[in-house]
């Protein structure tokens, strides 16, 4: 059974979508708090997101970008906006498909199943998932998650890149220049921006019970110590 997250502020339409999705053996979860779409996405971990454009507080484009910062989960827009610019904007913000209202429910179901086959089923890539492992701490770059024992931490794209760089070179020093190149290419960023990202990584490690693993080597860079090996 796959989980489909429905982000639609018309209760009647959301209910009909849920009914059709569950008729085909999958689970549909309707979002009711439109101020916490990302938090609910992280909690539910759906396989596909159905996302309306016109939503309270923030529009669907905004939430699509937020989800894309964490996940490659398929996102299908459902919207009354049928213009080419709206569809292009959705795709540019990370959507995988776009359905205009009014629509046939069978088309919605077919597109959901198409995404499920592409990402998780018959058409999914057969190659094994790439991981980076160090003494029991496992990073999953493709799903942007990190786990230790039975704990899991969800990461942003930059946190994933930074942790992969640090883990793959641990316990060696990773220079500040190397990190800047990995995260921002040739774009200039100040020291505060780098410090913010380092602190975010420390928080993600703390979510797994790992403290004092990331050392700042003043004037040089950062070093990740495998303190979780001693803690376990």
């Amino acid at each position: 059974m796959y989980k489909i997250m429905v982000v639609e502020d018309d209760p009647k339409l959301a209910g009909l979508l849920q009914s059709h999705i569950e008729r085909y053996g999958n689970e549909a979860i309707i979002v009711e708090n439109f101020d916490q779409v990302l938090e609910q996405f992280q909690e539910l971990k759906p396989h596909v997101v159905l996302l309306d454009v016109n939503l309270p507080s923030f529009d669907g484009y905004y939430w699509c970008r937020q989800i894309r910062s964490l996940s490659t989960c398929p996102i299908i827009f459902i919207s009354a906006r049928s213009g080419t610019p709206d569809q292009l904007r959705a795709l540019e913000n990370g959507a995988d498909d776009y359905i205009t209202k009014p629509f046939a429910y069978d088309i919605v179901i077919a597109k959901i199943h198409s995404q499920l086959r592409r990402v998780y089923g018959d058409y999914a890539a057969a190659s094994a998932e790439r991981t980076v492992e160090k003494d029991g701490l496992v990073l999953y770059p493709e799903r942007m998650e990190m786990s230790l024992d039975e704990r899991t931490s969800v990461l942003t794209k930059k946190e994933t890149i930074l942790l992969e760089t640090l883990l793959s070179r641990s316990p060696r020093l990773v220079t500040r220049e190397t990190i800047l190149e990995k995260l921002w290419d040739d774009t200039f960023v100040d020291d505060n921006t780098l410090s913010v990202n380092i602190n975010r990584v420390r928080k993600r490690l703390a979510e797994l019970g790992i403290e004092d693993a990331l050392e700042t080597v003043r004037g040089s860079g950062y070093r990740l110590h495998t303190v979780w090996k001693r803690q376990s």
Side-chain angles (χ1 to χ4, degrees):
M1 179 183 292
Y2 292 101
K3 288 190 290 187
I4 316 300
M5 180 173 163
V6 180
V7 189
E8 165 61 61
D9 64 341
D10 181 336
K12 182 178 180 180
L13 179 55
L16 288 169
L17 285 167
Q18 182 181 49
S19 176
H20 279 79
I21 290 167
E22 294 185 345
R23 186 181 301 170
Y24 286 86
N26 293 312
E27 180 184 5
I29 304 101
I30 298 174
V31 168
E32 296 180 350
N33 187 341
F34 297 101
D35 292 323
Q36 296 185 337
V37 172
L38 188 63
E39 289 83 350
Q40 291 172 83
F41 174 85
Q42 291 178 276
E43 180 181 346
L44 295 171
K45 291 182 171 57
H47 297 91
V48 175
V49 175
L50 288 182
L51 181 61
D52 192 9
V53 172
N54 295 320
L55 295 170
S57 301
F58 300 97
D59 63 24
Y61 303 127
Y62 170 83
W63 290 120
C64 185
R65 292 194 303 273
Q66 297 303 303
I67 292 171
R68 275 290 166 265
S69 72
L70 299 176
S71 172
T72 57
C73 169
I75 299 173
I76 302 173
F77 269 87
I78 48 174
S79 175
R81 300 185 186 182
S82 58
T84 299
D86 295 298
Q87 297 185 45
L88 288 174
R89 186 178 176 190
L91 296 171
E92 288 169 355
N93 279 277
D96 295 279
D97 208 337
Y98 193 102
I99 305 172
T100 58
K101 302 175 184 177
F103 48 71
Y105 289 94
D106 287 345
I107 293 295
V108 178
I109 298 302
K111 286 182 176 288
I112 290 173
H113 288 173
S114 175
Q115 293 297 329
L116 290 173
R117 288 194 300 271
R118 180 181 66 83
V119 179
Y120 311 105
D122 298 340
Y123 305 147
S127 58
E129 181 177 15
R130 187 168 65 88
T131 61
V132 181
E133 191 270 343
K134 192 77 173 181
D135 294 328
L137 179 64
V138 184
L139 175 69
Y140 301 90
E142 294 165 14
R143 64 174 102 160
M144 293 188 286
E145 291 182 358
M146 175 174 58
S147 67
L148 178 66
D149 298 328
E150 297 181 356
R151 297 184 183 181
T152 299
S153 179
V154 178
L155 310 167
T156 65
K157 184 176 181 180
K158 278 189 167 49
E159 289 166 357
T160 301
I161 295 171
L162 183 48
L163 275 161
E164 181 173 3
T165 304
L166 292 163
L167 265 176
S168 61
R169 304 189 185 203
S170 174
R172 291 174 293 164
L173 173 75
V174 181
T175 65
R176 178 180 179 279
E177 290 71 26
T178 296
I179 294 173
L180 292 174
E181 182 181 352
K182 290 280 188 181
L183 267 62
W184 292 284
D185 295 324
D186 294 326
T187 305
F188 173 79
V189 295
D190 58 28
D191 288 335
N192 184 60
T193 301
L194 178 56
S195 296
V196 167
N197 282 269
I198 290 293
N199 287 333
R200 286 174 179 166
V201 165
R202 287 195 172 104
K203 289 179 181 178
R204 295 292 174 260
L205 291 168
E207 290 175 4
L208 304 182
I210 301 172
E211 302 287 350
D212 302 322
L214 186 49
E215 176 193 4
T216 300
V217 181
R218 189 174 298 278
S220 298
Y222 301 88
R223 181 184 288 114
L224 186 65
H225 298 280
T226 58
V227 298
W228 56 90
K229 184 178 180 180
R230 299 196 300 269
Q231 292 172 354
S232 59

